[in-house]
Amino acid sequence: MKQKKLLYAGKAKSVYRTDEKGKLIVEFRDDITAFDGGKKDTLKNKGSYNAEVSAFFFEYLAKNGVKTHFLGMIDERHMAVRELEMIPLEVIVRNIAAGSIVRNYPFKEGMKLDPPVIVIDYKDDSRHDPMLNDDLIIALKLATPQDLKKIKKVALLVNALLVKILARQGITLVDFKIEFGKQGKTIYLGDEVSMDSMRLWDKKTGESLDKDVYRFEKGDVMETYNRVVQRITKKAKKP
Ligand code: ATP
Ligand code: TYD
């Protein structure tokens, strides 16, 4: 597969056309951002760490019945994916209260959310990704009621699978964000599943093992990402 012209450069990844119809290459760059792009840095190896973890999770999820865009790795930071028409929703699943729901609602940080809470934001940087509800999603024609139902069902399945595999490594999955897209009528899990888009806490120490280390300058984020990659991908037992 040959990389062709740049289709889109986001905050942390670039998407390229390829010489194969319906297939794209996603490049995981070393850029890291937080607070709506207000904090920005470039950190050596960050892209390859996130690509490696994403690939590991996409393979694991696919083995367990989740349709994903992942086709394979080209090198350590370039991923071949199915081209999707992205649905502009940020689907967030929360198992423990942290981050924006603690800031915006009377939840105490660390409170268990059982059943998990799904929050869906409108992926629109110019509007600062406002939170949606089902009626707004349907009125804005961002997804049909059937697609929305399917997206939520898959999001909960992804959550259950990720909770299980991370727990084996002594890691609590606090929350995460995923994105979906369509090819024809089929909905696929797209984008990435990595330390940038999840909140992970060490079960024993409560230490943050994700982008919160960068957001709140809790330590050396690359040292943390390196450790998490080893913990998740190398020692994980096959499901
Ligand atoms: P955010 O950081 O808020 O997710 P962004 O657009 O800056 O937004 P990046 O991760 O840098 O995010 O860019 C990757 C872009 O590629 C996103 O817009 C994402 O929706 C899109 N994308 C991911 N997977 C696919 C796919 N399979 N087909 C087409 N586009 C995709
Ligand atoms: P959230 O608590 O809403 O935001 P913040 O991290 O700013 O407090 O985030 C919930 C989870 O979703 C968290 O693991 C980070 C992830 N996420 C993203 O990856 N991208 C986003 O644009 C948003 C809003 C969240």
Side-chain angles (χ1 to χ4, degrees):
M1 181 186 287
K2 278 207 186 84
Q3 187 167 306
K4 297 279 188 186
K5 86 173 198 339
L6 177 72
L7 201 59
Y8 176 77
K11 294 193 284 291
K13 304 194 289 303
S14 299
V15 182
Y16 294 88
R17 286 221 167 282
T18 69
D19 56 348
E20 294 183 37
K21 205 169 164 266
K23 294 183 185 174
L24 300 174
I25 290 174
V26 176
E27 178 193 7
F28 287 71
R29 305 195 315 267
D30 283 343
D31 301 319
I32 186 163
T33 70
F35 308 118
D36 228 354
K39 182 170 158 83
K40 278 187 216 175
D41 282 286
T42 303
L43 304 171
K44 194 169 174 282
N45 293 329
K46 182 250 170 192
S48 58
Y49 290 160
N50 278 350
E52 193 177 347
V53 166
S54 276
F56 175 83
F57 283 137
F58 280 135
E59 281 180 347
Y60 164 69
L61 293 170
K63 269 187 218 143
N64 287 280
V66 178
K67 289 195 172 83
T68 87
H69 71 161
F70 180 74
L71 298 172
M73 291 308 293
I74 291 162
D75 61 33
E76 59 181 19
R77 65 172 69 237
H78 291 90
M79 183 182 284
V81 303
R82 205 181 285 275
E83 178 171 10
L84 302 180
E85 198 178 313
M86 294 306 289
I87 302 169
L89 300 177
E90 304 212 325
V91 181
I92 297 163
V93 185
R94 300 176 177 277
N95 297 299
I96 309 260
S100 66
I101 67 159
V102 172
R103 292 195 298 275
N104 299 332
Y105 303 92
F107 289 112
K108 269 209 151 148
E109 181 167 270
M111 185 183 151
K112 194 166 164 47
L113 303 169
D114 187 14
V117 171
I118 300 181
V119 173
I120 304 186
D121 290 349
Y122 184 23
K123 191 173 158 75
D124 184 340
D125 280 344
S126 71
R127 293 186 165 80
H128 307 289
D129 301 343
M131 190 194 286
L132 294 166
N133 65 22
D134 289 15
D135 285 359
L136 284 167
I137 292 169
I138 289 153
L140 287 166
K141 296 192 168 43
L142 301 175
T144 63
Q146 295 85 336
D147 284 353
L148 183 56
K149 198 171 162 199
K150 173 88 185 170
I151 285 169
K152 288 188 186 176
K153 194 174 160 196
V154 177
L156 289 177
L157 172 61
V158 169
N159 182 51
L161 290 165
L162 293 179
V163 163
K164 191 166 135 191
I165 197 165
L166 286 163
R168 285 187 204 158
Q169 300 308 323
I171 298 172
T172 300
L173 178 60
V174 175
D175 56 33
F176 63 97
K177 184 267 301 182
I178 46 179
E179 294 179 26
F180 293 89
K182 287 179 101 171
Q183 200 177 58
K185 290 207 165 115
T186 309
I187 296 178
Y188 291 90
L189 175 64
D191 206 48
E192 69 181 290
V193 183
S194 77
M195 291 78 79
D196 272 14
S197 53
M198 294 192 275
R199 213 171 246 124
L200 304 171
W201 290 351
D202 185 284
K203 277 194 191 293
K204 277 204 195 108
T205 64
E207 178 196 0
S208 286
L209 303 172
D210 57 67
K211 201 158 95 174
D212 273 354
V213 176
Y214 173 73
R215 283 192 192 93
F216 304 112
E217 300 182 2
K218 293 179 174 195
D220 179 344
V221 65
M222 292 321 294
E223 187 274 323
T224 302
Y225 275 27
N226 186 4
R227 258 190 302 131
V228 177
V229 175
Q230 301 307 317
R231 224 161 134 176
I232 294 178
T233 67
K234 302 292 191 297
K235 288 192 229 147
K237 293 178 204 84
K238 287 266 180 308

